[in-house]
Amino acid sequence: MLFRSDTGLGAVVSSLPTLRGVGFEYNSTGAAVDQQLVGGFAKTLQLPVGTEANPFVSAIATGVKWNLGDFASLAGDLAFQYRSNGDLAIAADRAAVSFAVGDSIRGGVTGATVALLIKNTGKYAVQTTGGAASLSLGSGFARVGVQAMGFSYNNTGADLNELLDMSAYRVGVSAPLVVRNEVATVLVTGLDAAIGGFVSLSGDYAFQKKAGPLANDDQLIVLTKNAGARLVVGDALRVGVQGATLALILNEDQTLVLQATGSPDISLGSGFASVSATGVGISYNNTGRNMAQTVSIRVGAVDVSVPVAVEDKVATVVVNGLQARVADFVTLSGSFAFQSRPATETDRAAFMVVTRDAAATLAVGDVVKAGVKNATMALVIRDDQKLAFQATGAAELNLGAGFARVAATGIGVSFNNTGIDVDREITLKVGDVSVSAPLVVKKGVSTVVITGLEATVGGFVTVSGDFGVKFDPGTKAGEEQLWVVSNAAAASLRAGA
């Protein structure tokens, strides 16, 4: 039997599948049969017991290839059971079930148990259990692995929960059919996949094929509310989400859109004394067009819907509410865009990080601080956990109650422990905006430089000039200090107006 083109959950049976052979068995003798037939041919006849009131009836189709509409394809040896209400129950052991979107995006199971119920209206339900799973998501993925896969479909108009018991048949199978109405999903468990040059995905996902309006317009919709997605550099650096809501749209031409939001999963290496964030968002779009739509899949009795809004040519991980303290130096805060850079002949693999609204502050206690706010910042974190960054912005300066007045024309924050001079510009696209920031820092630099400082010590002198600020952690808690030094400063004591 074949199914007409998919109309959501409206597919119905319309004709016969292709098959290699069909066999029928019948026994109403009241006893099991096991004997050798003789004559012009030799044949062993083995049949379970059957009576006139309850005869044993078996129909087996071998080498079946069956297209279940735009949902999946089924292949294997099937046992058929005709019911008095006109429904047809079908079960298979060691069958293959698969789906395909175009020529390169496909997945399925082999050696699976299959239950299929075709109602007398032509509506149907199918479920697979077990089997070995395989999955290919096209050229956009560098790696794809999966632990298990199960197919579920039901457009019969009612939830189904029954066992198709054909253990007495020659196929010998009992297949569960437990599928909610209006379900059309492929459930993938233990996915481990990497989008080339971008994030790695993990977790359990619901897949659904969506037929497009034109040829070559089909899509694979992938949703979950408990995913992991990470941007990784080396063994120690990662930025991503866990327990995430994730939507992935794969087009037949192998382009894709990804959006994920969830709890932060961050490690920036030993160069940071502490790291925290309020949220992480992951966005990717290489389709050639902006994406703004809501995608939905029913999983069991729950409809999972996820809005997807990603500008074209975006491939970023945005960390919101980041608080990261560079050991014995400044604390970085704000929202940052991350991108991974692979190793080259001259550069190590690294995170490239930019922002236009950061803060970088040296602080002692709750009051005394020197740094920048509303800053443009570029940051490189290498796979050996060395880093370099530069921040420029509005001065954020408070030297405590001992100063009657403090002002500065600017503050710059620079750090580089990579062992090499860094001179580059980092540009990342966040939404529809490209964010660029310079990173020009000599090796071994660890400075906060205040330019144009004017500070009046209460009732005493006014100091002015350009100063460097250094943090001294002291020998124990409460002994932290800021050292403010200059070799070209001015100090004056004025009386009167």
Side-chain angles (χ1 to χ4, degrees):
M1 298 178 182
L2 298 174
F3 290 83
R4 293 199 292 265
S5 297
D6 182 44
T7 55
L9 283 158
V12 296
V13 177
S14 62
S15 61
L16 291 174
T18 61
L19 49 87
R20 184 172 60 245
V22 178
F24 296 94
E25 297 174 328
Y26 184 91
N27 181 14
S28 62
T29 64
V33 177
D34 184 359
Q35 65 182 71
Q36 183 78 22
L37 302 182
V38 297
F41 61 92
K43 178 70 175 178
T44 301
L45 182 62
Q46 292 178 315
L47 298 173
V49 64
T51 65
E52 289 187 7
N54 187 24
F56 170 76
V57 180
S58 169
I60 306 296
T62 60
V64 174
K65 293 183 178 180
W66 202 341
N67 179 23
L68 305 180
D70 276 330
F71 176 63
S73 296
L74 169 64
D77 299 339
L78 309 182
F80 290 75
Q81 181 186 80
Y82 182 78
R83 296 180 174 179
S84 59
N85 63 356
D87 295 348
L88 186 63
I90 303 168
D93 193 17
R94 298 183 297 277
V97 181
S98 62
F99 71 87
V101 176
D103 297 325
S104 300
I105 300 171
R106 58 183 62 248
V109 288
T110 57
T113 298
V114 178
L116 172 61
L117 179 65
I118 302 174
K119 304 293 287 184
N120 55 23
T121 60
K123 304 290 186 177
Y124 71 100
V126 63
Q127 180 182 356
T128 70
T129 52
S134 62
L135 182 62
S136 172
L137 296 178
S139 59
F141 283 78
R143 180 187 77 251
V144 177
V146 61
Q147 294 178 359
M149 186 181 300
F151 290 73
S152 299
Y153 185 99
N154 183 356
N155 70 355
T156 65
D159 297 343
L160 295 174
N161 186 351
E162 62 178 283
L163 182 69
L164 304 189
D165 187 4
M166 301 184 191
S167 55
Y169 286 40
R170 197 168 296 279
V171 168
V173 58
S174 293
L177 183 60
V178 184
V179 189
R180 293 273 187 174
N181 186 43
E182 295 185 352
V183 163
T185 58
V186 180
L187 293 180
V188 173
T189 57
L191 178 69
D192 177 19
I195 298 175
F198 194 49
V199 296
S200 298
L201 309 180
S202 60
D204 301 339
Y205 294 77
F207 286 41
Q208 188 175 83
K209 181 179 177 180
K210 180 182 178 182
L214 302 173
N216 304 317
D217 278 351
D218 291 352
Q219 294 178 322
L220 185 67
I221 308 299
V222 182
L223 296 182
T224 185
K225 288 194 171 180
N226 190 27
R230 292 177 173 179
L231 190 65
V232 176
V233 171
D235 297 326
L237 307 181
R238 69 178 184 275
V239 176
V241 289
Q242 56 190 349
T245 296
L246 183 148
L248 169 65
I249 302 173
L250 278 164
N251 295 314
E252 191 169 339
D253 63 4
Q254 303 179 62
T255 60
L256 60 105
V257 177
L258 170 72
Q259 182 173 301
T261 56
S263 300
D265 181 19
I266 300 176
S267 173
L268 298 182
S270 59
F272 290 86
S274 61
V275 176
S276 65
T278 58
V280 175
I282 298 176
S283 302
Y284 185 92
N285 185 348
N286 68 352
T287 64
R289 58 188 183 274
N290 299 337
M291 175 65 67
Q293 69 179 76
T294 297
V295 291
S296 300
I297 296 179
R298 168 164 277 204
V299 181
V302 178
D303 289 314
V304 179
S305 296
V306 179
V308 179
V310 186
E311 298 284 337
D312 184 38
K313 295 183 176 63
V314 165
T316 56
V317 177
V318 176
V319 179
N320 297 310
L322 179 69
Q323 293 278 341
R325 182 179 179 184
V326 181
D328 292 336
F329 193 49
V330 297
T331 296
L332 310 181
S333 59
S335 296
F336 293 77
F338 282 71
Q339 193 173 80
S340 64
R341 181 195 67 194
T344 67
E345 292 183 359
T346 58
D347 292 323
R348 300 182 70 104
F351 279 145
M352 316 298 286
V353 188
V354 295
T355 182
R356 283 182 176 173
D357 190 25
T361 307
L362 269 177
V364 173
D366 298 327
V367 176
V368 179
K369 64 179 66 176
V372 290
K373 60 184 178 180
N374 302 323
T376 296
M377 181 185 297
L379 165 66
V380 172
I381 310 172
R382 301 193 320 194
D383 61 354
D384 62 356
Q385 305 180 59
K386 303 297 185 181
L387 60 124
F389 65 86
Q390 179 181 348
T392 55
E396 185 175 27
L397 188 60
N398 188 334
L399 298 183
F403 288 81
R405 183 177 65 89
V406 176
T409 58
I411 295 181
V413 181
S414 301
F415 184 91
N416 184 352
N417 69 354
T418 65
I420 59 173
D421 296 342
V422 178
D423 186 350
R424 67 187 309 153
E425 185 172 57
I426 299 175
T427 301
L428 299 182
K429 188 172 184 182
V430 182
D432 59 352
V433 178
S434 291
V435 180
S436 298
L439 181 57
V440 184
V441 189
K442 295 289 186 179
K443 63 182 178 182
V445 166
S446 174
T447 59
V448 176
V449 176
I450 306 174
T451 57
L453 175 68
E454 286 198 6
T456 301
V457 180
F460 192 48
V461 299
T462 296
V463 296
S464 60
D466 298 339
F467 291 78
V469 183
K470 181 180 178 182
F471 176 77
D472 181 358
T475 58
K476 61 182 178 180
E479 292 185 351
E480 298 90 348
Q481 295 178 330
L482 285 187
W483 290 48
V484 184
V485 297
S486 175
N487 59 7
S492 60
L493 178 64
R494 300 181 62 185

